[in-house]
């Protein structure tokens, strides 16, 4: 979650404020921008507890900064470093904020981007804004295929993520109560778990995928859509991002996933079996994650995952013609 976007996914999650960073690190940032911070606006929405805010300096310069400290754990720190590396390498043809600087000290990190004068898409969707978002997906598939930067493959990036059906099958074999699971999914659990094992090959491709594309990671400016938050970027098939964002689009009042999919140019030449395989893996992730304890500071995350899982499940069942 960047800039001033109001998340469609949940409420603000107790973010670390700019003032909570060590004074020495804040001073380094102010020295870099040549002025003191006059205002630090923390955006609403998102799930992370890490710092994200728009800084306005006394010399009128602005920057959007993100950061975390030792309290956040190694994964969050690694994601900030990955985002800085990816942002620095993205070509100007990619509609994304430009990296300004990165600061690290004593286990703390701050990454500074250009401040974007934009707003999140309206939720529920306005038809023209949704059209602009979907056109941006097409643009991304064109300008980053093949990927212009060195990033992991999608299978490497999400290896521990898309194992939902297999983990549920293990739970069933351990006699855990799965009566909460959708009856269709429960009947076809073995088939879904088997299908899921092939998702990495089905999603493989040379293009650059954002891998976390949703309304709260996009900003609408006067003349285009800017895509923010790139730490999960990876190499994947061109339609990977489109497929991943469709359940969240319906949840915010947009069309059903299949309706958009069947008419979108990025999906036109997609292999049908590969699509179903990747959709199965993503659905399994949503379904299982929705039953896990809520992470600290993100009480609405599991409900959002459950809602996406329900949408994805209906689409998956229709594609599998069961």
């Amino acid at each position: 979650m960047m800039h001033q976007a109001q998340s469609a996914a949940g409420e603000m999650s107790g973010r670390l404020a700019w003032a909570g960073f060590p004074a020495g690190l804040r001073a380094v940032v102010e020295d870099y921008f040549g002025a003191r911070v006059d205002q630090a606006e923390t955006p609403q929405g998102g799930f992370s507890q890490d710092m994200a805010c728009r800084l306005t300096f006394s010399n009128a310069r602005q920057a959007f900064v993100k950061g975390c400290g030792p309290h956040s754990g190694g994964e969050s720190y690694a994601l900030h470093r990955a985002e800085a590396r990816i942002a620095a390498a993205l070509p100007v043809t990619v509609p994304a904020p430009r990296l300004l600087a990165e600061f690290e000290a004593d286990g703390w990190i701050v990454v500074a981007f250009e401040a974007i004068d934009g707003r999140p898409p309206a939720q529920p969707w306005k038809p023209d804004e949704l059209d602009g978002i979907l056109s941006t997906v097409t643009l991304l598939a064109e300008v980053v295929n093949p990927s212009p930067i060195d990033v992991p493959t999608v299978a490497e990036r999400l290896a521990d993520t898309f194992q939902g059906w297999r983990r549920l099958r293990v739970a069933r074999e351990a006699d855990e109560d799965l009566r909460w699971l959708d009856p269709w999914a429960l009947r076809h659990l073995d088939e879904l778990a088997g299908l899921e094992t092939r998702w990495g090959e089905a999603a493989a491709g040379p293009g650059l995928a954002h891998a976390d594309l949703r309304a709260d990671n996009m900003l609408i400016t006067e003349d285009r859509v800017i895509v923010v938050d790139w730490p999960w970027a990876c190499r994947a098939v061109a339609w990977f991002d489109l497929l991943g964002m469709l359940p969240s689009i319906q949840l915010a009042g947009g069309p059903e996933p299949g309706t958009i999919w069947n008419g979108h140019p990025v999906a036109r030449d997609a292999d049908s079996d590969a699509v179903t395989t990747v959709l199965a893996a993503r659905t399994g992730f949503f379904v299982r994650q929705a039953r896990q304890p809520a992470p600290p500071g993100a009480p609405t995350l599991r409900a959002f995952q459950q809602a996406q899982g329900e949408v994805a499940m209906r689409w998956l069942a229709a594609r599998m013609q069961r």
Side-chain angles (χ1 to χ4, degrees), residues 13-195:
S13 54
R15 290 187 182 278
L16 175 67
W18 172 246
F21 272 67
L25 186 57
R26 286 185 279 125
V28 170
V29 174
E30 290 181 326
D31 286 345
Y32 177 85
F33 286 97
R36 70 179 185 279
V37 172
D38 273 353
Q39 188 174 18
E41 302 172 75
T42 300
Q44 300 296 306
F47 300 114
S48 173
Q49 291 183 296
D50 296 334
M51 183 271 292
C53 62
R54 186 184 187 110
L55 300 182
T56 301
F57 297 88
S58 58
N59 59 4
R61 295 186 69 182
Q62 290 189 327
F64 190 88
V65 298
K66 305 173 69 175
C68 68
H71 70 286
S72 298
E75 181 181 15
S76 185
Y77 198 88
L79 285 173
H80 281 85
R81 297 184 78 177
E83 183 169 8
R85 181 181 63 83
I86 291 164
L90 286 175
V92 295
T93 52
V94 177
R98 307 273 73 85
L99 178 72
L100 300 179
E102 177 185 0
F103 312 92
E104 297 187 33
D106 299 324
W108 294 79
I109 183 170
V110 173
V111 184
F113 299 87
E114 65 172 324
I116 302 296
D117 291 326
R119 56 176 177 78
Q123 307 282 272
W125 289 99
K126 294 181 179 179
D128 60 328
E129 292 185 358
L130 180 55
D131 288 344
I133 294 293
L134 293 174
S135 295
T136 299
V137 175
T138 303
L139 171 65
L140 287 174
E142 293 172 348
V143 301
V144 293
N145 196 0
S147 174
I149 63 177
D150 181 23
V151 289
T153 67
V154 66
E156 293 168 338
R157 176 66 83 188
L158 301 177
D160 294 330
T161 301
F162 286 174
Q163 297 188 29
W165 298 123
R166 283 169 284 179
R167 287 170 174 154
L168 287 171
R169 183 172 60 183
V170 170
R172 183 195 62 189
E173 292 170 353
D175 292 327
E176 292 187 24
D177 186 0
L178 296 184
R179 286 177 294 179
W180 57 267
L181 187 58
D182 178 272
W184 174 85
L186 192 57
R187 289 195 307 272
H188 297 283
L189 183 55
D190 288 331
E191 182 180 2
L192 292 168
L195 194 61

Side-chain angles (χ1 to χ4, degrees), residues 26 48 53-54 101 113 174 208 223 245-246 256 262 275 283-284:
R26 286 185 279 125
S48 173
C53 62
R54 186 184 187 110
F113 299 87
L208 179 68
D223 58 354
M245 74 181 300
L246 290 182
E256 294 182 355
N262 293 336
V275 171
T283 303

